[in-house]
Amino acid sequence: MPTNTPAVWNVPHPRNLFFTGRTQVLDDLRQALMGKGKAALSGMGGVGKTQTAVEYAYRHCGEYGTVLWAGADSEDSLKAGYAAIAAKLNLLEKDETNRDVVIAAVKRWLEEHAGWLLILDNADDLGLVSDLLRSEWRGHILLTTRAHATGGVSKVEILKMTPEEGTLFLLRRAKVIGVDDALGTATEADQELATEITWEVGGLPLALDQAGAFIEEEQRSLAEYLELYRTEGAALRKMRGGIIADHEPVTITFSLAFRQVAGANAAAADMLRACAFLAPEAIPEEIFTSGAGELGENFTDMAGGGLGLVKMIGEAGRFSLIRRNARNGTIEIHRVVQQVLKDEMDAETQRLWAERVVRALNASFPEVEHRTWSLCEKLLAHAQEAAGLIGAYSFEFNEAARLLDETGCYCLELAQYGEAEPLYVRSLSIYEKVLGPEHPDVAMSLSNLAALYYYQGKYAEAEPLYVCALSICEKALGPEHPTVAMSLNNLAMLYASQVKYAEAEPLHARALGIREKVLGPEHPDVAMSLSNLAALYYYQGKYAEAEPLLVRALGIYEKTLEPEHPNLLLGQKNYTALLQKMRNETEE
């Protein structure tokens, strides 16, 4: 009990000596309760809602004449809580067998008294306590809940611990440092290991407490626990320390919540399964709309978004297993929730969902061009995660190859050459195996890999790939196909960069001829060929020959591209430079 115990105190939990951080959350709770008299401490399972409520009660107990506590996870537990409160308050009705009489007596006491704090723990179904929330009281009501929506009750959201909070909590809980010691009292090595463990469990207090209990009770080092978690995490997540077992293990905490979601909405359960194989943060909803056809029958109605998507996401978030960012239409799932969801799957089911996610991401990932860059950026981290799945499961199908290739293209746009190369190489390998070495998609993959080398100045590595791509396209598509023109253009650009102007010019001219004939004289690709041929003349000092080509290219770009398109801006810049060169030549 606290040293300044109020007249009535029935909080069933001792103060947590290892409680760390949460200063802002506790301050926000205080402000919410003082302002409106009711506050909901909301967050996912295992994030420390109950322990934070306990800490609040101990810190502020001197301000209340009475501090009461009731479990609210079910109707039975709530009724039992009322009965315990009636006994603690020594109400005349405390021995009544009719629970409704007891409940009415407790509510009457609350109406008649002031200066009390009532904590309703695990009130995930707010309907069970709605009568308390609708009424006005002269005391304070504090809820802990996994519910995301709390209606008119002020919500204080509690999230995972920061790296600093988690590191300090773990070091204290594992008894590496004293319960009141500062972070700096630990060695740098121990701080680094504790930070790594905190990252592995996503700053989840329940998992950190579980880790600390294991380290203490099994007399293991931080390094030993980290290695065990990385190799046998599923088993560790099911464990609870043997000395103090005041809450469920991580696995049970999230498994129960998942089963409740699955019972209410099968699509929401499948969405969570898919999220387990994506990057945990900023998951775009486009994956579940554009990729709906690849995620199983429960996603049939999700392709167009709409109410079905809203309900699915709402149900998945009801127990805070996910959080939605309404501003950008993305979802966040905790790393440990992902791990537990995977733990619940057998190897065959894991492979099934990994493949579904790869296919859904491919369906969502657009062709990389200027107008799609923003969507590519949203999907990038998840596509890179999918690349890991493709390697881990040795997936070899067209959709996997295409996703790798497009992801590599976007990385190339960002000048992330080191990230792009393995994506291109793996994509090429899959295409060659699935489609054969003479397929146009293989040529495209060769061209992309060659472009990567070209941008790095590795011309010797790029040339044979470009030559091979051109040969495949000419054989498979015919000599006047737009893809052949693109291959000609690529090879010409490579030669121009090596000052091989004589080799480059006929290739540019042929590419221009094909594009004008097949695509029409006003197509942006025609403008690109005109610009490239003009650049070739510019480099040779043939300014008079370059000018009409650039003028025509700019005219096409201005008609067909948005004002901020890079090709248009570059064309304007090049034309300005050309005019300056021509003026200088005239003045000389």
Side-chain angles (χ1 to χ4, degrees):
M1 284 190 178
T3 55
N4 50 347
T5 308
V8 179
W9 170 272
N10 84 324
V11 176
H13 302 285
R15 192 170 193 174
N16 186 346
L17 298 178
F18 302 107
F19 188 88
T20 302
R22 304 305 197 190
T23 303
Q24 189 61 56
V25 171
L26 290 164
D27 288 346
D28 290 345
L29 271 180
R30 181 65 179 153
Q31 290 181 17
L33 289 170
M34 293 300 291
K36 294 189 176 180
K38 303 181 189 75
L41 189 58
S42 173
M44 66 188 297
V47 81
K49 299 182 296 295
T50 297
Q51 289 300 317
T52 303
V54 169
E55 180 65 18
Y56 182 88
Y58 276 90
R59 287 193 186 189
H60 297 283
C61 60
E63 302 165 21
Y64 298 99
T66 301
V67 178
L68 305 170
W69 185 288
D73 56 310
S74 67
E75 187 174 0
D76 287 342
S77 66
L78 185 58
K79 288 180 177 180
Y82 277 123
I85 289 172
K88 196 70 177 179
L89 294 172
N90 198 28
L91 301 180
L92 292 175
E93 298 85 353
K94 67 180 185 298
D95 296 323
E96 281 282 348
T97 56
N98 186 334
R99 287 288 178 86
D100 290 337
V101 173
V102 177
I103 292 170
V106 171
K107 292 178 180 177
R108 190 163 52 250
W109 186 95
L110 295 174
E111 285 179 0
E112 295 171 353
H113 293 78
W116 47 262
L117 171 66
L118 171 60
I119 299 173
L120 299 170
D121 193 30
N122 294 320
D124 299 331
D125 182 358
L126 298 185
L128 290 177
V129 295
S130 60
D131 54 339
L132 292 172
L133 303 181
R134 285 195 296 266
S135 302
E136 295 299 323
W137 308 97
R138 290 181 293 156
H140 293 168
I141 295 178
L142 170 57
L143 311 175
T144 70
T145 181
R146 291 180 297 175
H148 179 72
T150 58
V153 179
S154 298
K155 183 174 77 169
V156 177
E157 192 167 15
I158 182 168
L159 305 175
K160 62 187 180 181
M161 285 182 151
T162 65
E164 294 77 14
E165 287 176 336
T167 298
L168 179 57
F169 172 62
L170 176 59
L171 290 169
R172 288 174 173 175
R173 180 64 186 86
K175 306 290 181 65
V176 175
I177 61 176
V179 68
D180 295 319
D181 286 347
L183 186 60
T185 58
T187 66
E188 287 189 11
D190 281 343
Q191 289 183 50
E192 289 175 4
L193 287 165
T195 300
E196 285 192 64
I197 294 171
T198 299
W199 184 88
E200 286 285 346
V201 303
L204 187 70
L206 175 59
L208 289 167
D209 182 70
Q210 195 166 306
F214 183 91
I215 291 167
E216 178 195 5
E217 293 162 22
E218 301 298 330
Q219 301 179 53
R220 296 290 170 176
S221 68
L222 293 164
E224 288 173 322
Y225 184 85
L226 182 59
E227 183 178 356
L228 278 171
Y229 192 85
R230 287 171 172 169
T231 57
E232 301 183 54
L236 287 174
R237 286 186 285 273
K238 293 177 181 178
M239 297 176 65
R240 178 62 198 139
I243 296 174
I244 303 172
D246 58 350
H247 48 70
E248 298 287 3
V250 169
T251 293
I252 292 178
T253 297
F254 293 127
S255 294
L256 289 175
F258 175 74
R259 286 167 197 157
Q260 287 178 282
V261 170
N265 189 307
D270 278 354
M271 189 194 78
L272 289 169
R273 292 184 180 104
C275 286
F277 293 89
L278 294 164
E281 297 178 349
I283 300 171
E285 291 173 6
E286 286 89 346
I287 295 173
F288 308 111
T289 53
S290 300
E294 304 291 353
L295 290 170
E297 60 184 13
N298 289 324
F299 280 79
T300 302
D301 299 328
M302 304 302 163
L307 188 58
L309 180 70
V310 171
K311 288 183 175 179
M312 178 182 72
I313 293 174
E315 192 61 45
R318 193 158 67 88
F319 297 105
S320 297
L321 290 174
I322 61 167
R323 294 175 67 244
R324 182 176 186 268
N325 185 326
R327 291 190 301 276
N328 56 23
T330 62
I331 293 163
E332 177 182 339
I333 185 170
H334 195 278
R335 182 181 303 277
V336 175
V337 175
Q338 291 181 304
Q339 293 166 341
V340 170
L341 288 170
K342 290 178 183 177
D343 293 345
E344 296 281 284
M345 303 178 193
D346 58 28
E348 183 178 351
T349 305
Q350 285 191 15
R351 183 181 181 86
L352 169 67
W353 278 101
E355 181 173 340
R356 284 179 172 179
V357 164
V358 169
R359 292 182 181 276
L361 272 166
N362 174 65
S364 309
F365 208 100
E367 183 177 347
V368 178
E369 52 188 353
H370 180 257
R371 64 182 179 83
T372 65
W373 281 357
S374 60
L375 179 55
C376 293
E377 178 61 29
K378 289 176 70 175
L379 292 167
L380 179 59
H382 309 287
Q384 290 172 324
E385 195 78 15
L389 297 175
I390 292 168
Y393 289 97
S394 300
F395 289 143
E396 293 181 334
F397 46 84
N398 284 351
E399 293 82 358
R402 185 214 171 250
L403 178 61
L404 291 168
D405 193 64
E406 293 294 347
T407 307
C409 287
Y410 187 62
C411 288
L412 182 60
E413 292 285 352
L414 300 177
Q416 296 176 355
Y417 304 134
E419 289 82 354
E421 184 168 6
L423 297 171
Y424 279 147
V425 169
R426 179 62 179 152
S427 173
L428 176 60
S429 174
I430 295 173
Y431 272 139
E432 287 179 326
K433 185 169 184 178
V434 175
L435 302 175
E438 299 297 315
H439 195 279
D441 287 349
V442 171
M444 182 67 68
S445 192
L446 285 165
S447 293
N448 289 337
L449 182 57
L452 173 67
Y453 294 141
Y454 168 78
Y455 283 119
Q456 296 177 86
K458 299 178 179 179
Y459 302 136
E461 289 93 329
E463 183 172 356
L465 301 180
Y466 274 144
V467 169
C468 184
L470 175 60
S471 175
I472 293 171
C473 289
E474 288 178 320
K475 290 177 183 176
L477 303 173
E480 294 190 339
H481 194 277
T483 304
V484 171
M486 183 189 70
S487 287
L488 289 164
N489 177 79
N490 293 339
L491 190 55
M493 295 288 287
L494 175 69
Y495 289 148
S497 296
Q498 299 175 82
V499 199
K500 297 179 180 179
Y501 301 134
E503 291 92 330
E505 184 172 354
L507 299 179
H508 273 316
R510 185 182 163 197
L512 175 60
I514 293 171
R515 285 171 166 169
E516 286 180 317
K517 181 178 180 179
V518 178
L519 302 176
E522 299 297 309
H523 195 278
D525 285 355
V526 171
M528 180 181 293
S529 280
L530 289 165
S531 296
N532 291 337
L533 187 55
L536 187 68
Y537 291 144
Y538 176 89
Y539 295 141
Q540 297 176 80
K542 300 177 180 179
Y543 305 134
E545 295 174 64
E547 184 187 15
L549 302 179
L550 267 182
V551 169
R552 185 182 163 199
L554 272 176
I556 297 171
Y557 280 149
E558 287 169 352
K559 291 178 184 177
T560 58
L561 302 180
E562 61 269 24
E564 298 302 315
H565 195 286
N567 287 354
L568 174 57
L569 296 177
L570 180 61
Q572 293 169 338
K573 179 181 177 181
N574 290 342
Y575 186 57
T576 300
L578 174 64
L579 292 178
Q580 184 62 49
K581 283 285 188 181
M582 295 176 73
R583 279 195 294 269
N584 293 344
E585 195 173 66
T586 302
E587 290 171 2
E588 291 174 359

